[in-house]
């Protein structure tokens, strides 16, 4: 209470005793104010902290919960007075203020050291898509983290930073070049792809004690003529999407029976050059299959391809040719093309908002409405990164949350409600920034690396159970967690 | 006497109205009367000194006729002070009328002591004290018909049929009040001033005049009964309590109050008289000395000066600016120099001084000394007139801003590279050359460590590396244009290496290998040279297969040039490339070589050294026409390869050309060819071939030599960049229009800094991404950088 009074008295000094009537609401039942709580008269000088203290008092919480306050769908970042002035709202109106749990800064949990750059990461937990699709129960503590590295190996880690399983080297049916994307399809199946132009499906099995396991090649998918940049998985329909530098999007089946035969000319045996390569592939024979469809209308390397989160027959892809394309996967036809002003390097779907977030080479994230009715190309821009944004993941807790990994060596958490108007339209600001632990350990957390040298983040993954997992040039997988990061 | 007084009193009452009328009729008369009365009564005053003035005045007011009586009265007054008071009250009654007496009586009623007792009927009965009989009241002798009830209100008799008693003790009966009809009439027509009261003394209905009513009202309201008295008159503050800074009126004394002094007038007249008579002169009579000076003849040079026609021989003296404050003998303090300025001025050479004098404060004109530089200045002025011919300068009033072309702001010309996105670290020693492959995915670099490396462009991951030479640096590395194959040409030491990096898919790899291998057969079919020819120094080299270890790493062919090639440029279609060996020891005939990929053939198109300007530096094919541009140190020549002709010579004016590039859309549109040339003497030159041999624009923004210049390929973005030894890159906007009439717009956009200067060298090479506005640079610090 004292805090309120203090802040209130401070505010009184500044805002000359101006008061405004506010109606505090919340959509979450557990923190909602009791019914019949009418509008409250508060000094306009209050800021987020004072309002948060006020709500905690009203809820009579023993342990204060930090809250964020939304007015007209944007976070209150100034005092109420400044907000009213900026938006030209009279202080005599009753302000509808919605409050949500505030984001707690994500804390570093662990870092898993690799031998080489880590290009991609995925998690297997009770809440991860792979487990939910397979409706497999992953008991707490049995979560797994998958990493694909530039050394061409997949690694499965348990939460105690031990490698449970490693994929075989190239000689034994592994990737012949760097892995750029890896994902769990089911708790027992892994898919990976990389610069060797192949998509590989692996069988993953664990011993009883869970301390050792094997990753065995299951299927090789040929079709791309250049490196594969990203993968998307839809396990229920046994489909994969791959984005390749050969300007095409691959649409694959994870089932041997479904998949058509592999194109002969692309098989490693077709290589005209030295016998060395042939040697590499000889030891293990794995089934080879081709793509269900190759979607090619991009005119530059495709950087990312994803399934629509609600409708697995719709795919989206982004490319260096600045375009975002919508595909009908059933007929493998192009539905729509949206052209941005910069190369797009990553993509994520925010289904509840019908928005696609695309990371660009111009250091920002554009939110694009893919629906045909949308008139503007870019609905919003999220600015803050200092290098290309190459990875995006949605917040499992909130429909408005988003995390981005960038070559500047940071992951940034965004809430698209935290916006401000700019000359270029609506611009968002990141809520939290996660820098690489490796830098902090060296005591150089504040030093800015030119071009994110040595700390580039290549992949980021956000799971409800495990937290934020990011992989990067520092040869680490870094796990960060914040309780109730962004609320609904 | 009493009776006469009473009659007089009555008389006064009756005459009162007339008197007042008289007063109202003329004020001034009253004043005269007063005067007269004063003077007339002077004797009386002297005799009755104890009389108060007011008394006399009152008496005077009444009338002059009563003067005698009044004197009598006044005689009486000193004898009886009490009576005088009474008299005064009487006069008031005179003035206010009889009703006042009534009021007086009613007030007396309150003061009276009486007891209230019950009589037999139970009514109130007032028991009064006995009246003291020896009270010498006036009322002791009353008129016969007057009521002798004394000073008792008539109301005491209300209950009785009589109203009092006469002198004989008989009851005086109430006067008849008239009939009921009369009363009715009375009630209908109430006369003005009707009070419904009866005169206490007469018992007749008491009528009051309007004035009397008003007077009564005022008395009742405790107001001052005087006519026209306003108790709430606004205060006139003749003297305000607070002292005003600016008084309401500050008017000076009016002139009419001036009283001329007679004494002064007398004196002035004296002086005037003296002036008239000539005793006072307005000037001093010239003395003898003055007269002597008159003999000196003064020449006025400009006395007969007339306006002369404008002529070169008669140029008027330039108009000097009017003197300013600093030239004043008493300048404002801000114009006065402080110690420092004074010292600086004194120390400065007289020619360097901005002002010829120092502002000086003399306080007043009479303290100003003689001008110390007078003689010197006169002399110099004469010298000027004598020696310095005047020239009329024609001034051009042109706003320099208007001469500058309107350039768009860099903000509007986005996108262009602004920040370093990736650092490619791995080379030991300088990175001498780099190139982005046609697909835009990979970056090839070559450096002093003798290696060629291929990197993933976006992430900076090294994908492939080959060591071409142990000791010699790799000078240049270039991708073959075209997306059908991926072939890398690198010049290391004396050799040119052609390689297919194992990073592509088998299909493209096979195509690339096919292209490279196709020539072996052709070369074999060429008849072997005769020994005589073989002995000749200048015969073209034969392409050879690399060692197996190099073959393993992807190198497919080697061209032993025997001289160090420092420039390598592919033809657009990817079948030819030209190499230039700028070394001074290189024979002129073999300095420039054109290599045909499909035939494994090397040719030397030039037999002699290109004239004028030292060894050749760089050569490029025209992007669409069969023209080869060759640059030596000072000029660029364009040769038509099909016709074997020299087409054009460009003279950039640079002392040593380092590199040049041809605009990618040259000649495809109707516009002419455009070239950019970088030179070691820090200049970046833009040539429009249609315009002139000389550069259209010279840009000198670098502090050190420019090493490389490059247009953005493909023409998608009108950008070009240069790299300099000062460690920076500069990005320019250079849009070429198809319109022949409009020139190219060149806007400097951005300076990109980041490369460290190592051994006097900064950035050695640059290249553009084929599609994006991304730029890569190779630094002497061993790093390459991607800018986007």
């Amino acid at each position: 209470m004292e805090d309120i009074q203090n802040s209130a008295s401070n505010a009184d000094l500044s805002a000359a005793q101006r008061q405004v009537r506010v109606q505090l609401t919340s959509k979450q039942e557990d923190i909602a104010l009791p019914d019949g709580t009418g509008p409250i008269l508060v000094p306009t000088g209050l800021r987020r902290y004072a309002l948060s203290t006020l709500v905690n008092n009203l809820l009579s919480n023993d342990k204060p919960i930090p809250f964020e306050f939304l007015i007209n769908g944007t976070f209150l970042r100034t005092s109420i007075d400044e907000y009213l002035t900026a938006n030209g709202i009279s202080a005599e109106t009753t302000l509808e203020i919605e409050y949500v749990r505030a984001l707690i800064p994500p804390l570093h949990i662990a870092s898993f050291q690799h031998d080489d750059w880590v290009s991609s990461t995925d998690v297997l937990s009770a809440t991860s898509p792979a487990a939910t699709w397979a409706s497999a129960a992953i008991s707490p503590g049995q979560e797994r983290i998958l990493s694909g590295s530039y050394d061409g190996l997949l690694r499965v880690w348990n939460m105690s930073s031990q490698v449970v399983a490693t994929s075989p080297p190239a000689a034994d049916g592994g990737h012949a070049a760097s892995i750029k994307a890896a994902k769990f399809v089911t708790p027992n199946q892994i898919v990976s792809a990389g610069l060797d132009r192949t998509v590989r499906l692996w069988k993953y099995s664990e011993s009883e004690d869970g301390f050792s396991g094997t990753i065995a090649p299951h299927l090789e998918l040929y079709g791309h003529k250049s490196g594969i940049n990203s993968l998307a998985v839809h396990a229920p329909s046994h489909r994969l999407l791959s984005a390749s530098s050969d300007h095409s999007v691959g649409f694959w089946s994870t089932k041997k029976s479904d998949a058509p035969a592999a194109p002969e000319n692309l098989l490693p045996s077709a290589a005209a050059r030295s016998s060395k390569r042939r040697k590499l592939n000889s030891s293990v024979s794995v089934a080879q299959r081709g793509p269900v469809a190759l979607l090619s209308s991009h005119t530059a390397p495709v950087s990312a391809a994803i399934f629509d989160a609600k409708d697995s027959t719709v795919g989206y892809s982004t490319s260096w040719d600045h375009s975002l394309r919508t595909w009908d996967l059933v007929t493998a036809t192009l539905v729509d093309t949206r052209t941005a002003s910069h190369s797009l390097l990553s993509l994520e779907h925010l289904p509840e908002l019908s928005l696609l977030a695309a990371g660009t080479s111009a250091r920002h994230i554009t939110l694009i409405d893919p629906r045909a009715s949308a008139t503007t190309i870019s609905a919003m821009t999220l600015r803050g990164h200092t290098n290309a944004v190459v990875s995006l993941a949605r917040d499992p807790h909130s429909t408005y949350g988003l995390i981005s990994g960038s070559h500047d060596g940071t992951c940034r958490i965004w809430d698209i409600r935290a916006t401000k108007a700019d000359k270029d339209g609506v611009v968002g600001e990141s809520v939290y920034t996660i820098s690489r632990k490796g830098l902090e350990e060296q005591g150089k957390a504040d030093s800015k690396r030119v071009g994110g040298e040595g700390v580039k983040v290549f992949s980021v993954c956000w799971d409800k159970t495990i937290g934020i997992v990011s992989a990067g040039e520092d040869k680490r997988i870094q796990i960060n967690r914040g309780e109730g990061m962004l609320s609904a | 006497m009493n009776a006469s007084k009473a009659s007089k009193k009555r008389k006064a009452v009756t005459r009162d109205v007339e008197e007042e009328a008289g007063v109202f009729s003329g004020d001034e008369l009253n004043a005269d009367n007063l005067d007269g009365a004063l003077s007339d009564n002077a004797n009386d005053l002297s005799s009755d000194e104890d009389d108060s003035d007011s008394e006399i005045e009152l008496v005077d007011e009444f009338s002059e006729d009563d003067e005698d009586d009044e004197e009598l009265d006044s005689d009486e007054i000193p004898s009886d002070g009490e009576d005088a008071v009474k008299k005064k009250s009487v006069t008031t009654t005179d003035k206010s009328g009889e009703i006042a007496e009534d009021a007086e009586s009613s007030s007396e009623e309150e003061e009276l002591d009486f007891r209230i007792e019950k009589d037999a009927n139970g009514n109130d009965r007032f028991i009064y004290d006995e009246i003291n009989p020896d009270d010498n009241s006036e009322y002791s002798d009353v008129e016969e018909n007057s009521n002798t009830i004394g000073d008792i209100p008539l109301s005491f008799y209300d209950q009785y049929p009589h109203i009092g008693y006469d002198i004989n003790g008989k009851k005086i009966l109430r006067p008849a009040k008239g009939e009921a009809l009369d009363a009715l009439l009375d009630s209908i027509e109430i006369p003005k001033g009707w009070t419904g009261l009866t005169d206490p003394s007469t018992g007749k209905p008491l009528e009051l005049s309007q004035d009397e009513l008003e007077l009564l009202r005022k008395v009742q309201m405790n107001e001052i009964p005087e006519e026209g008295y306003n108790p709430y008159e606004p205060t006139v503050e003749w003297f305000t309590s607070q002292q005003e800074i600016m008084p309401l009126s500050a008017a000076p004394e009016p002139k009419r109050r001036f009283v001329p002094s007679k004494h002064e007038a007398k004196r002035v007249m004296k002086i005037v008289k003296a002036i008239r008579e000539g005793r006072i002169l307005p000037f001093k009579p010239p003395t003898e000395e003055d007269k002597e000076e008159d003999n000196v003849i003064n020449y006025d040079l400009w006395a007969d000066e007339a306006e002369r026609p404008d002529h070169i021989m008669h140029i008027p003296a330039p108009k000097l600016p009017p003197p300013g404050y600093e030239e004043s003998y008493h300048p404002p303090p801000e114009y006065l120099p402080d110690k420092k300025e004074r010292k600086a001025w004194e120390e400065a050479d007289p020619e360097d001084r901005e002002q010829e004098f120092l502002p000086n404060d003399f306080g007043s004109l009479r303290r100003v000394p003689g001008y110390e530089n007078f003689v010197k200045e006169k002399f110099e002025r004469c010298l000027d007139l004598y020696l310095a011919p005047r020239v009329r300068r024609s001034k051009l009033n042109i706003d320099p801003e208007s001469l500058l072309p309107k350039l768009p702001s860099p903000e509007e010309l986005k996108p262009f590279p602004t920040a370093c996105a990736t650092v490619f670290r791995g080379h030991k020693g300088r990175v001498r050359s780099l190139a982005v492959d046609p697909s835009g995915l990979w970056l090839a670099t070559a450096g002093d460590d003798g290696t060629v490396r291929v990197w993933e462009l976006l992430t900076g991951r090294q994908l492939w590396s080959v060591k071409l030479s142990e000791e010699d640096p790799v000078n240049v590395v270039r991708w073959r244009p075209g997306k059908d194959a991926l072939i890398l040409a690198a010049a290391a030491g004396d050799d040119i290496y052609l390689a297919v990096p194992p990073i592509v898919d088998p299909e493209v790899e096979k195509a690339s290998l096919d292209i490279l291998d196709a020539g072996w057969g052709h070369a074999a079919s060429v008849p072997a040279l005769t020994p005589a020819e073989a002995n000749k120094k200048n015969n073209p080299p034969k392409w050879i297969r690399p060692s197996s270890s190099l073959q393993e790493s992807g190198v497919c062919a080697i061209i032993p040039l025997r001289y160090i090639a420092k420039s390598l440029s592919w033809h657009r279609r990817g079948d030819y490339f030209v190499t230039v060996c700028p070394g001074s020891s290189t024979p002129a005939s073999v300095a420039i070589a054109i290599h045909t990929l499909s035939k494994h053939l090397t040719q030397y198109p030039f037999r002699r050294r290109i004239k004028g300007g030292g060894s050749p530096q760089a050569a490029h094919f025209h992007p669409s026409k069969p023209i080869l541009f060759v640059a030596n140190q000072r000029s660029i020549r364009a040769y038509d390869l099909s016709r074997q002709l020299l087409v054009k010579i460009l003279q950039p004016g640079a002392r040593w050309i380092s590199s040049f590039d041809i605009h990618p859309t040259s000649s495809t549109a109707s516009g002419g060819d455009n070239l950019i040339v970088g030179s070691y003497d820090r200049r970046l030159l833009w040539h429009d071939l249609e315009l002139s041999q000389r550069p259209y624009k010279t840009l000198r923004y670098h502090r050190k030599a420019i090493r490389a210049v490059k247009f953005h390929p493909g023409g998608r973005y009108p950008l070009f960049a240069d790299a300099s030894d000062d460690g920076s890159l500069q990005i320019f906007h250079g849009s070429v229009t198809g319109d022949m009439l409009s020139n190219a717009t060149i806007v400097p956009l951005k300076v990109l800094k980041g490369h460290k200067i190592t051994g006097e060298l900064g950035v050695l090479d640059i290249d553009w991404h084929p599609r994006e506005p991304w730029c890569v640079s190779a630094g002497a610090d061993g790093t390459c950088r991607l800018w986007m």
Side-chain angles (χ1 to χ4, degrees), chain A residues 116 180 273 363 387 453, chain B residues 421 425 456 461 509 788:
Chain A
D116 207 341
K180 298 280 293 237
R273 196 110 70 132
R363 301 169 279 276
N387 210 338
E453 195 189 352
Chain B
R425 211 177 279 274
E456 204 175 45
R461 172 82 185 184
E509 193 170 45
M788 63 192 217

Side-chain angles (χ1 to χ4, degrees), chain B residues 732-762:
Chain B
F732 296 88
H733 170 93
S735 65
V736 179
T737 52
D739 187 4
M740 290 286 267
L741 292 171
S742 59
N743 289 323
T745 324
I746 299 166
V747 185
L749 292 179
K750 181 87 186 166
V751 180
L752 299 173
K753 285 178 187 161
H755 284 291
K756 285 184 194 72
I757 300 168
T758 314
E760 297 288 298
L761 295 174

